Amino acid sequence: WKPYGPSAGALASFLSTGIRKNGELVGVFATQLPPDAKPICSVLNTISAQSWSDAIAEVDHQRMLVQKTARMYLQVIKGVDVQASRTAFVLAVGDATASLRKTLKGHDSIPAPPTQTIGNVLLQGWKQWEHLEAEMRLSLDSNDYSFETLTKIMTFNQAVDTYLNSAIEQYVISATAAQPDLPSVIWGVSQRQTSLLERMFVEVLFLRMGIAVETNKAGFEQSVAAFELSHSELLGGRRNSSQAVGSFLPDLDFPGTSNACALDAMLDVIGKFSMMKTSLQEVMASNATSEQAAIRRADQVSATVVNAMKPALSFYETGSGSCTPTRSTAMWEAAIDGLSRLPYLVSKVETEFALVESSLSEGWMKKAAIDLGHHKGYIRTEASDFQLVDAFLAFKSGWDSFRPTDAQRLLSLQVAYITLNKHPAGSKDQLDYAPGSEEYHAVHKKYHPIYRDILYARNYYDIFMLDLNGNLIYSVYKELDYATNFAANGTIDEHGV
């Protein structure tokens, strides 16, 4: 229920999501949808399901290849099958470079970056990859394996991995916004498993080199936990979002697996993965004389996990597969229960969208579910943009320094942006910034035109940024809830933010 402004007395629909910096929740980003919301045409809607699938798979493949390149480099240093490892290094470098170029320029069914955010993230990943490749080649050519060189290489490797992971998230978010019925999050979750395998191996090898030992030990444990969590979610599905650390796009739900062939393959995967985890732990605990043999065993077991994953990944990508299942229902129940998995036959995910006590037209109600799917994708796109974190932190800093108390901020900001705003009610957004030397006004001048344009492009009614205390530190339209506290007097429940 919207008590303020031109929409006073109307039932208001909000979509909200968290603003995170380095995984930590710092604020809330919310959009108010208008009662007459209509689907928005976008270039994203012209991309086929196959192209979305291929793009997500290709970037995940890049991420795996980059980690494999780092692993082969480290195996050369460790003296493990040096000639074979050097050859594998050269091949992985070539494959990773070609794959990155495909997604940057577009290739066959893989579209060129469909959004500016995806293009920016891929370009940053490419730049970090160029640095990583150059440093590894120089190190091998000069036999420079110093602490400083290895630390630099580890840093570049982590940067490439971070950017590519962000690119995958952006592809999934954009695909979900364009076509909510696509299993894009399942593609993202399943495809990243191979890159997690390579990454945990790399973390162990850096640890054995004495580089950031505690960081890499913790990284290995997190990679293992992320792999096991994703495996569990693929089996049982994800409902009501995920609170677990390491979950891929935790706000996006998806159904579990019920195909017998996929389930059969997944049980093979987790069994072989348990062997790989043990072999990597043996590498971590090995001494100088047993290290090379331990790395070779881990390498061999890793290959069996990758091979076991292929039929499962094929199913998740295409949604179909054929095989001759060899396990009975009783065996499956015992296996899944033993692995602390959810039942693999899940109930239908609720997809109906309804508004309680709504006076909206029946025509709008029929397309509400489709529109909501689009807007959920849009808000995830905005919330995952690096720019939003910068904007929110800038507004928060400007808010905190504007006046000593929330009550004084409320009064002064409403006077500056509503009372003294020369534009009429419903057009207060036309004021780019209020006069004054305060930090808040400079921040408003920088970011308000950007989010006003987003509001127009997405056909939102309004856009909010709230801090964790419930203060509405920014809105586009500057209605009378601007600068108020949504946590006071039950306002959050009333607004549904």
Side-chain angles (χ1 to χ4, degrees), residues 218-237:
F220 167 74
E221 293 170 350
Q222 291 167 4
S223 296
V224 168
F227 184 95
E228 293 175 337
L229 172 64
S230 294
H231 190 90
S232 174
E233 289 184 329
L234 287 168
L235 284 176

Side-chain angles (χ1 to χ4, degrees), residues 17 20 233 237-244 247-254 376 380:
T17 189
R20 298 180 185 274
E233 289 184 329
R238 185 196 293 163
R239 288 161 292 190
N240 302 318
S241 302
S242 172
Q243 303 300 318
S247 185
F248 178 83
L249 292 176
D251 293 337
L252 293 173
D253 293 344
F254 54 87
K376 281 182 177 179
R380 291 186 186 107

Side-chain angles (χ1 to χ4, degrees), residues 59-69 194-195 198:
V59 181
D60 265 308
H61 186 57
Q62 291 165 20
R63 195 178 175 202
M64 181 277 293
L65 287 170
V66 170
Q67 295 306 309
K68 183 177 181 179
T69 301
T194 54
S195 60
E198 289 290 348

Side-chain angles (χ1 to χ4, degrees), residues 6 61 83 120 128 200 252 254 266 317 329 335 347 374 400 468:
H61 186 57
Q83 190 56 49
N120 290 343
Q128 295 299 316
M200 64 182 71
L252 293 173
F254 54 87
M266 289 291 277
E317 182 177 357
T329 301
S347 60
H374 286 293
D400 289 341
L468 295 183

Side-chain angles (χ1 to χ4, degrees), residues 282-293:
E282 290 173 352
V283 173
M284 294 169 65
S286 63
N287 55 37
T289 57
S290 63
E291 182 183 61
Q292 288 188 4

Side-chain angles (χ1 to χ4, degrees), residues 63 68 97 191 221 225 254 314 365 382 401 451 466 482:
R63 195 178 175 202
K68 183 177 181 179
T97 300
Q191 293 287 346
E221 293 170 350
F254 54 87
S314 177
M365 285 293 290
E382 315 306 348
S401 63
Y451 286 97
L466 300 98
Y482 169 59

